[in-house]
Amino acid sequence: MAASPGPAGIGGAGAVQGSGPSGFGFDSGLEIKTRSVEQTLLPLVSQITTLINHKDNTKKSDKTLQAIQRVGQAVNLAVGRFVKVGEAIANENWDLKEEINIACIEAKQAGETIAALTDVSSSNHSEPGGQITIFTDKTGVIKAARLLLSSVTKVLLLADRVVIKQIITSRNKVLATMERLEKVHSFQEFVQIFSQFGNEMVEFAHLTGDRQNDLKDEKKKAKMAAARAVLEKCTMMLLTASKTCLRHPNCESAHKNKDGVFDRMKVALNKVIEIVTDCKPNGETDLAAIGIFTGIKEFKANIEALPENLYFQSKENLSATLEAILERTEDFTDSAYTSHEHRERILGLSAHARLELQQFTSVWIQAQSKRTKSIAEDLELSILTISHGLDELKKELHSTATQLAADLLKYHADHVVLKALKRTGVAGNLEGLAEYACKFSEQKEQLVETCRLLRHVSGTEPLEITCVHAEETFQVTGQQIISAAETLTLHPSSKIAKENLDVFCEAWESQISDMSTLLREINDVFEGRRGEKYAYLSLPKPMKNNTNLKSLKPDKSDSEEKAKIAKLGLKLGLLTSDANCEIEKWENQENEIVRRGRNMSSMAYSLYLFTRGEGPLKTSQDLIHQLEVFAEEGLKVASSVQAFSKQLKDDDKLMLLLEINKLIPLCHQLQTITKTSLQNQVCLKVDKCITKTRSMMALLVQLLSLCFKLLKKLQMENNRWVSVTKKDSVDALF
């Protein structure tokens, strides 16, 4: 069951009103209520289980009897709340209604039975001597407790099916809209469909974010995070890539660029469904080889179990396992980027591990035939020796991979090649494009191979998955940057082609930043500073290791608040896309309303990047200053729209003024929030600011659309008046 907002991406609490698939409203809170009641109910059932384990002849004090009765009543009340939630879910899902209702009836009966059997005021508990005992019908209490657990589990499993069905339905809606987006031929049609697509992505992100938060399997959680990261970044890429294609329909590189985005999003959408349904298409299995560190961990566990059971493993199995591990070290020794010194040490340690395994096997065989204290000690010593040798190999591999990654990150920190690609594109320099595209491809391959090496030394399966995600992202995004740069070079005066290249370059820079965080996580695990769990490099960043918030550290971390902020952030990002689409419609791009609207959209996008730990805003002061300027710009937009309204008829003027009167108070409220003291409620303040900003952007989109329509109407009326005037003038001449 999904319960609380996970590190979800698009939208946030209250971002979407209305219902999702199957009429299940996002703001209904049914899932949260179910989880809340479940968490209240199960501990109480545990108390009942403890109570029924008393001795049959045990006599209780009045205080104990009252406590028992309170537990029984509390269970019954919790069951009542649980049943109401279950019935609400049943009413929204007719295909499961009968099953859920039956389970709810069983739960209700069990709750009432437990309440009755723990009621000390009942005469059923009185003995002839006047003494009161409890649980005369002990069998009945046991049956009721079992029925309660069984029925509650049924409801939760059925509700889980509802959530899975919602995610699948939402995915299908997104795919259907994507197919329409792929086939559009006019910009107007694209704007309309993309707006729908944005709303559907918000819905999908809500559902998958909650699901990610509730997944217990860390591997699945990391896979979900990776898939959702792809969808988040590709949503922004899809907008500019599609606009570039529409602007340059005969450009092959533009179509290649756009198709790459669509293909990657489809793969990510299908990956999410694989995770939530726990199945692979056509019965496929995950054949990806595990990392070397994971293999070493399993190998050591196997040999350390041998003293307890000398026949736990076969000699052949152990030898094959070690060979598989050492074979994977060839990724390091065959790499052109591994230094000669590291390569020699890895080869030496690998040969030493084979030799130590032979010696260990000899002692092991002796221990199987002669069970003496001396042989047992030799076996223990041999295990320690081979474990130490493998640990030395791990250190060398870790040093090789992390040193290479650190050097790469430092070398590419200034993004010289990316900047050169942009310059050659704007200059229309095809020869320069070929030169820098070649250099960039080399950089991409180096990063891809480094991610592959980091995967081997990541130390945990979730981090391995994150390394694979980084490897794929560099591979795909690198190719897309080259195609985007080619499009710009062929059309150097195209603003949309330049914007498109900028978006892909930002995605590349973002992945470089993620790789830096990933490297820190891997070092933390290796040095024992972190356990198995860690903050995923996923959609959306819950502001973990976020440089933007270093100066905003509260005394107490609140991951739910941070996740909520990140949700609000991506909704804000999508609203900037909606605003830009509305701005594109205007013929006069220097119109005051358009100019102010573009400024607001640009600032809102910077705020969105802040929630991801990216962009120009680095400190709390940067954020506050940006919000202050944003509020001021909002008031200027209101003033510009008010000036425009003076040209309109009364009805149209009133309609526009009503919208302005919604925007102005929001601007003043945002100014007030920015002036309040931070103290220790950082996340709360950022949450409020982003929420207000999001509301202002939603109003801006409406205002831009309304002003555009009213302007067109005004122009038509003016043209009609001019036409009539000319006709009257001509008639007067004759």
Side-chain angles (χ1 to χ4, degrees):
M1 280 295 301
S4 56
I10 310 171
V16 179
Q17 298 299 322
S19 297
S22 309
F24 213 48
F26 285 112
D27 55 329
S28 64
L30 290 178
E31 296 177 30
I32 295 173
K33 290 177 185 174
T34 307
R35 169 64 65 82
S36 176
V37 176
E38 173 196 357
Q39 290 174 341
T40 304
L41 182 60
L42 294 183
L44 292 172
V45 174
S46 176
Q47 291 182 44
I48 290 291
T49 305
T50 302
L51 289 172
I52 63 177
N53 290 327
H54 75 293
K55 295 180 181 179
D56 290 340
N57 61 353
T58 302
K59 295 177 182 178
K60 309 290 184 184
S61 67
D62 289 341
K63 187 176 180 181
T64 302
L65 292 172
Q66 292 299 324
I68 291 171
Q69 180 169 312
R70 284 197 300 273
V71 170
Q73 290 172 345
V75 168
N76 193 30
L77 287 171
V79 170
R81 294 195 298 274
F82 185 88
V83 166
K84 285 182 180 179
V85 174
E87 289 171 346
I89 296 173
N91 290 334
E92 298 290 346
N93 297 273
W94 290 91
D95 53 335
L96 298 174
K97 184 173 182 179
E98 185 177 353
E99 290 181 78
I100 294 175
N101 281 338
I102 290 172
C104 286
I105 291 169
E106 290 177 353
K108 189 175 181 181
Q109 289 174 346
E112 290 173 350
T113 301
I114 289 173
L117 293 173
T118 54
D119 184 1
V120 295
S121 63
S122 172
S123 58
N124 294 336
H125 302 311
S126 298
E127 294 294 328
Q131 295 290 338
I132 297 178
T133 60
I134 195 67
F135 296 155
T136 304
D137 185 8
K138 186 174 181 179
T139 304
V141 178
I142 294 171
K143 286 182 178 179
R146 286 176 177 169
L147 178 62
L148 179 58
L149 288 171
S150 172
S151 55
V152 166
T153 302
K154 282 180 187 176
V155 174
L156 294 175
L157 289 173
L158 290 167
D160 197 57
R161 283 169 58 185
V162 171
V163 174
I164 293 172
K165 183 181 73 173
Q166 283 183 299
I167 293 173
I168 293 172
T169 303
S170 180
R171 187 281 307 259
N172 292 341
K173 285 165 61 179
V174 169
L175 279 176
T177 306
M178 282 177 65
E179 287 181 12
R180 292 173 60 201
L181 278 173
E182 283 186 279
K183 298 173 183 176
V184 296
H185 297 291
S186 71
F187 187 78
Q188 190 68 28
E189 183 185 5
F190 172 77
V191 169
Q192 293 172 353
I193 299 174
F194 188 82
S195 178
Q196 177 187 342
F197 172 75
N199 289 331
E200 288 170 354
M201 284 300 294
V202 169
E203 176 186 296
F204 188 72
H206 267 292
L207 294 168
T208 55
D210 287 342
R211 189 68 178 181
Q212 178 182 319
N213 192 51
D214 283 331
L215 287 169
K216 300 296 187 289
D217 187 316
E218 293 297 316
K219 284 177 65 178
K220 288 182 181 178
K221 209 165 191 175
K223 286 178 180 178
M224 179 72 88
R228 295 178 71 245
V230 170
L231 293 173
E232 177 194 12
K233 291 178 181 177
C234 283
T235 299
M236 307 304 291
M237 295 176 187
L238 184 143
L239 174 64
T240 56
S242 297
K243 285 164 66 178
T244 305
C245 256
L246 289 169
R247 190 64 55 85
H248 307 289
N250 299 321
C251 184
E252 185 180 344
S253 58
H255 283 281
K256 182 181 178 182
N257 186 249
K258 184 192 80 168
D259 292 343
V261 178
F262 276 101
D263 290 345
R264 195 158 190 235
M265 289 191 78
K266 289 173 185 175
V267 170
L269 286 165
N270 291 331
K271 179 64 69 176
V272 169
I273 301 306
E274 288 176 22
I275 295 164
V276 299
T277 58
D278 200 22
C279 65
K280 294 271 187 179
N282 304 320
E284 293 176 12
T285 55
D286 190 358
L287 299 177
I290 61 172
I292 294 174
F293 275 26
T294 304
I296 289 175
K297 183 179 178 181
E298 292 176 0
F299 179 83
K300 287 172 67 176
N302 287 335
I303 63 171
E304 286 166 2
L306 287 173
E308 299 296 327
N309 182 356
L310 294 172
Y311 301 94
F312 174 69
Q313 285 281 333
S314 69
K315 181 179 73 171
E316 292 74 20
N317 282 346
L318 274 183
S319 180
T321 302
L322 181 63
E323 279 306 316
I325 292 169
L326 298 181
E327 184 179 336
R328 289 197 286 276
T329 63
E330 291 175 6
D331 286 346
F332 289 80
T333 55
D334 292 348
S335 173
Y337 308 113
T338 301
S339 69
H340 177 72
E341 292 77 11
H342 281 302
R343 183 179 291 108
E344 288 299 313
R345 283 197 289 268
I346 292 169
L347 289 171
L349 289 167
S350 297
H352 196 56
R354 289 189 180 94
L355 180 62
E356 286 173 342
L357 180 62
Q358 290 177 6
Q359 294 172 349
F360 168 78
T361 303
S362 176
V363 176
W364 178 24
I365 292 171
Q366 289 182 41
Q368 287 176 333
S369 57
K370 299 177 184 178
R371 303 205 173 188
T372 64
K373 183 178 180 182
S374 174
I375 292 292
E377 289 175 352
D378 288 346
L379 183 63
E380 290 285 357
L381 181 61
S382 186
I383 289 172
L384 289 173
T385 302
I386 194 170
S387 294
H388 176 73
L390 290 173
D391 287 341
E392 289 299 309
L393 177 61
K394 281 177 61 178
K395 287 179 184 178
E396 190 60 39
L397 294 173
H398 177 268
S399 173
T400 303
T402 56
Q403 185 177 319
L404 175 60
D407 290 344
L408 266 179
L409 290 170
K410 185 178 179 181
Y411 183 73
H412 296 303
D414 50 3
H415 304 292
V416 172
V417 180
L418 275 185
K419 292 173 182 176
L421 276 173
K422 291 181 183 180
R423 287 196 302 271
T424 55
V426 172
N429 183 355
L430 287 171
E431 290 183 5
L433 171 69
E435 177 188 348
Y436 287 111
C438 183
K439 289 182 179 180
F440 185 71
S441 293
E442 291 175 6
Q443 177 181 327
K444 178 199 70 176
E445 290 304 321
Q446 196 171 9
L447 285 163
V448 165
E449 188 160 333
T450 302
C451 288
R452 195 173 298 132
L453 299 185
L454 284 175
R455 181 191 178 194
H456 281 307
V457 304
S458 57
T460 70
E461 289 182 323
L463 277 173
E464 283 186 26
I465 291 163
T466 307
C467 289
V468 172
H469 166 66
E471 180 184 335
E472 292 172 351
T473 300
F474 281 127
Q475 188 70 263
V476 176
T477 308
Q479 294 167 352
Q480 290 174 317
I481 284 173
I482 292 172
S483 61
E486 184 180 341
T487 303
L488 178 59
T489 309
L490 293 170
H491 306 278
S493 61
S494 173
K495 290 183 180 179
I496 183 57
K498 183 179 183 302
E499 181 188 348
N500 184 52
L501 179 57
D502 286 341
V503 167
F504 280 93
C505 287
E506 284 172 11
W508 180 270
E509 291 170 12
S510 171
Q511 190 57 50
I512 291 284
S513 175
D514 281 352
M515 186 176 175
S516 178
T517 306
L518 173 61
L519 182 59
R520 287 198 299 271
E521 294 284 356
I522 289 171
N523 282 326
D524 285 347
V525 170
F526 184 77
E527 293 169 14
R529 292 197 296 265
R530 301 296 295 259
E532 291 291 321
K533 295 184 180 180
Y534 65 99
Y536 302 102
L537 306 179
S538 65
L539 175 151
K541 295 184 178 179
M543 299 189 185
K544 182 80 174 69
N545 292 328
N546 187 338
T547 55
N548 288 2
L549 291 185
K550 280 182 179 176
S551 57
L552 289 175
K553 286 183 180 177
D555 288 342
K556 185 178 179 181
S557 176
D558 190 338
S559 59
E560 282 194 16
E561 283 296 328
K562 291 176 182 178
K564 184 180 176 184
I565 290 168
K567 277 188 174 184
L568 293 171
L570 190 50
K571 175 62 176 176
L572 186 60
L574 286 172
L575 283 169
T576 63
S577 298
D578 292 342
N580 291 338
C581 285
E582 291 296 333
I583 289 168
E584 287 277 351
K585 296 178 185 178
W586 292 66
E587 293 177 8
N588 180 12
Q589 289 291 305
E590 295 306 313
N591 180 288
E592 184 72 9
I593 296 172
V594 171
R595 202 159 52 80
R596 298 293 184 191
R598 191 185 297 111
N599 290 344
M600 285 186 70
S601 180
S602 177
M603 285 186 276
Y605 188 72
S606 295
L607 294 169
Y608 152 67
L609 291 177
F610 179 85
T611 65
R612 290 175 40 79
E614 301 167 9
L617 307 180
K618 303 298 182 185
T619 66
S620 59
Q621 289 306 312
D622 291 343
L623 174 66
I624 298 303
H625 177 68
Q626 183 80 101
L627 289 166
E628 289 172 346
V629 176
F630 182 81
E632 290 172 7
E633 200 68 21
L635 291 172
K636 290 176 182 177
V637 167
S639 177
S640 299
V641 174
Q642 198 164 17
F644 168 66
S645 70
K646 294 176 182 177
Q647 305 174 45
L648 305 174
K649 292 182 179 179
D650 288 345
D651 289 345
D652 292 341
K653 182 177 182 179
L654 178 61
M655 182 168 34
L656 202 53
L657 290 176
L658 287 172
E659 293 301 314
I660 296 171
N661 289 337
K662 294 177 186 176
L663 178 61
I664 293 173
L666 285 172
C667 296
H668 290 313
Q669 288 167 19
L670 182 59
Q671 287 176 328
T672 302
I673 295 171
T674 58
K675 289 181 174 65
T676 56
S677 174
L678 279 174
Q679 295 180 353
N680 293 326
Q681 296 182 319
V682 180
C683 289
L684 180 61
K685 179 168 181 176
V686 175
D687 183 317
K688 287 181 178 180
C689 287
I690 299 297
T691 301
K692 290 295 179 190
T693 306
R694 196 193 67 184
S695 299
M696 288 171 64
M697 283 301 298
L699 268 174
L700 176 66
V701 173
Q702 293 175 21
L703 274 172
L704 288 168
S705 176
L706 182 57
C707 287
F708 178 77
K709 291 175 184 176
L710 293 176
L711 179 63
K712 287 291 183 184
K713 181 180 177 182
L714 183 64
Q715 289 172 343
M716 287 177 64
E717 289 174 350
N718 289 341
N719 290 339
R720 194 180 301 116
W721 182 84
V722 170
S723 177
V724 170
T725 303
K726 285 183 177 179
K727 185 176 183 302
D728 290 344
S729 299
V730 172
D731 290 344
L733 292 174
F734 295 94

